[in-house]
Amino acid sequence: AATRAAALLGAAAARHRAGAPLPPAERADVDRVTTAARGALGAAGFAEAYERGARLDPEEAGRQARKAALGGVRPVRS
């Protein structure tokens, strides 16, 4: 979970650098998740996962974010 969180943080940061700014209301959540993931992975592990996430294309980042939001459960499609 911490590795996925760090990767998604990296993907989000890449998107923000590309012109989609982080809404101020989300800053506290991002800081909380960053602190928890860095604590779980250590500085080097966090940096590796974050950079891997920053290289994700937007579609893959979206798939991973949806998967994380669902707790790894795939949605049922009709």
Side-chain angles (χ1 to χ4, degrees), residues 13-38:
R15 191 186 75 174
H16 299 316
R17 286 190 298 272
L22 177 68
E26 295 179 14
R27 172 53 49 201
D29 288 334
V30 169
D31 291 345
R32 178 182 51 78
V33 172
T34 299
T35 298
R38 189 175 281 126

Side-chain angles (χ1 to χ4, degrees), residues 7-75:
L8 291 174
L9 287 165
R15 191 186 75 174
H16 299 316
R17 286 190 298 272
L22 177 68
E26 295 179 14
R27 172 53 49 201
D29 288 334
V30 169
D31 291 345
R32 178 182 51 78
V33 172
T34 299
T35 298
R38 189 175 281 126
L41 299 172
F46 179 85
E48 180 181 326
Y50 186 95
E51 290 303 318
R52 190 170 48 250
R55 291 188 303 270
L56 291 175
D57 66 66
E59 288 182 21
E60 179 58 24
R63 278 192 293 275
Q64 289 196 21
R66 286 187 297 279
K67 185 176 179 181
L70 293 170
V73 176
R74 299 183 69 119

